[in-house]
Amino acid sequence: MVEQAAAQDAPIDPIALRRAFGTFVTGVTVITTLDVDGTPRGMTANSFTSVSLDPPLLLVCVAKSASSYAVFKAANCFAVNILHEGQVDVSATFASKAQDKFQSVNHDRAHTGAPVLTDSLTWFDCSLHSAVDAGDHAILIGQVRAFGTSPTAPLGFCRGRYASVKDPLPTGWLASHGMIIGYLIEAGDSLLLRSDGKGGWVLPSARRRKADSQLVLDGGDALHLVPEETFLYSVFDVADSDPGYLVYRARLAGEGAASNLPADLRFFPIDDLPYDTIATHELRSMLRRYGRERLAGRFGIYMDSDDGGRIAMIDGEARAWLQASHDQGQ
């Protein structure tokens, strides 16, 4: 039954209005950012929508009563992570007042530095475009700088409870977009490359960077890595219309593993890489830098920028974070 609208001067019942708003079926997101100390902060939200494709904009509404409101209001970047049907527990965690909400989820950084939940259905890494005060909420409009998605079904929400969404994957829908996760995988003095099927070579790629010993490549092949020797190496764009790259350094685990690989994967000596058959100028440049730094035994992290990029050199051996934190506290 449709009730008649109240008279113009009659007050609106906020509880009834909330219930009416709740009949609109939405997805569930976790929005994330960093506070002034660099600590990850996040909260569950379902007031999210796309705004524009050119420029790429989205918005999310944050209640002024939320404990993280001041952090999001002051942040210059944030990420929106859309949850899939298996993440009810993640939604509940980020809706709670738990002290360390990020302890039980895999998260990484892509472009702006805002935490990205790498196991989510879809994530958008955004710089703040503008903020609008709107009653008891603030509307944060973000410009999408990077994004990624997966073919799992979304977590729905309606009438104050979670809802199942039937989500058959459309024919031709791509499993992932946005940043490509590439790997520089070493074994001895050789580097692993993958055939592009056209006579050229590219980096092996994966859906996400996971902090464990097994890496599942695009295509389903699994490689075992030495987890403590996996580090971010480079972040760069290829072209405005193409996805950018996150590149990690890694080392293959186990003797003999390099000789038992799929046909499209091949190790090349680091001092004799096939630069002439590498797919793009950007990849060639990155590999030449890697070859020089590998020879010198001193690596840097490259971050793309409008004036040609920045390289931050890393000195010293890798150390466990917990041990380094303990030593600093002494």
Side-chain angles (χ1 to χ4, degrees):
M1 182 180 70
V2 179
E3 297 184 3
Q4 285 188 334
Q8 187 172 1
D9 58 350
I12 293 291
D13 181 344
I15 296 177
L17 182 61
R18 183 184 182 90
R19 289 173 177 167
F21 283 154
T23 61
F24 184 66
V25 182
T26 71
V28 182
T29 78
V30 168
I31 57 174
T32 54
T33 190
L34 299 173
D35 65 18
V36 292
D37 296 324
T39 302
R41 299 288 295 272
M43 58 179 284
T44 301
N46 68 336
S47 52
F48 158 81
T49 189
S50 59
V51 174
S52 169
L53 292 177
D54 186 16
L57 302 176
L58 56 75
L59 70 78
V60 66
C61 298
V62 181
K64 294 179 179 178
S65 59
S67 59
S68 299
Y69 168 75
V71 175
F72 279 96
K73 191 66 167 58
N76 59 11
C77 64
F78 62 91
V80 177
N81 307 273
I82 302 176
L83 303 186
H84 61 67
E85 60 183 356
Q87 293 183 302
V88 171
D89 58 334
V90 176
S91 173
T93 297
F94 280 86
S96 72
K97 297 186 182 297
Q99 291 299 308
D100 189 358
K101 300 177 181 180
F102 290 84
Q103 185 175 7
S104 60
V105 297
N106 293 319
H107 60 282
D108 208 337
R109 299 181 183 184
H111 186 91
T112 69
V116 166
L117 305 190
T118 54
D119 291 331
S120 58
L121 168 67
T122 300
W123 55 266
F124 302 96
D125 186 13
C126 306
S127 58
L128 182 67
H129 179 270
S130 59
V132 180
D133 188 83
D136 57 8
H137 280 64
I139 302 172
L140 303 182
I141 300 176
Q143 181 161 352
V144 179
R145 301 297 183 179
F147 68 98
T149 189
S150 69
T152 51
L155 178 62
F157 195 77
C158 183
R159 300 184 191 274
R161 66 185 69 182
Y162 296 109
S164 178
V165 178
K166 293 183 179 180
D167 184 43
L169 198 63
T171 301
W173 194 89
L174 297 177
S176 62
H177 305 270
M179 302 295 284
I180 294 173
I181 314 298
Y183 274 81
L184 295 162
I185 300 175
E186 292 184 20
D189 290 324
S190 296
L191 185 72
L192 186 65
L193 297 176
R194 180 188 286 275
S195 169
D196 65 1
K198 305 173 184 178
W201 296 91
V202 295
L203 292 181
S205 60
R207 277 187 55 198
R208 61 175 68 97
R209 151 86 168 99
K210 297 195 70 170
D212 55 27
S213 59
Q214 179 170 281
L215 175 70
V216 179
L217 300 175
D218 289 340
D221 300 316
L223 299 177
H224 293 279
L225 306 179
V226 181
E228 60 268 24
E229 294 190 28
T230 302
F231 297 95
L232 179 65
Y233 181 72
S234 190
V235 183
F236 62 90
D237 287 326
V238 176
D240 291 341
S241 59
D242 293 328
Y245 274 83
L246 289 173
V247 179
Y248 290 89
R249 287 193 295 120
R251 178 168 290 278
L252 198 64
E255 294 184 5
S259 62
N260 187 24
L261 294 171
D264 63 338
L265 293 175
R266 176 181 165 187
F267 273 97
F268 289 86
I270 292 175
D271 60 0
D272 190 25
L273 294 175
Y275 295 115
D276 292 341
T277 57
I278 298 300
T280 67
H281 165 73
E282 289 82 2
L283 279 176
R284 285 195 297 274
S285 295
M286 185 272 297
L287 283 171
R288 290 185 188 280
R289 177 172 70 89
Y290 173 78
R292 293 192 300 270
E293 293 180 351
R294 178 68 166 71
L295 182 63
R298 185 169 179 260
F299 293 96
I301 296 178
Y302 173 83
M303 304 292 289
D304 201 5
S305 66
D306 292 339
D307 61 352
R310 300 283 187 275
I311 294 179
M313 299 307 297
I314 300 174
D315 296 302
E317 296 294 326
R319 302 172 62 199
W321 171 252
L322 290 178
Q323 182 61 49
S325 300
H326 177 265
D327 293 345
Q328 291 172 1
Q330 289 182 341

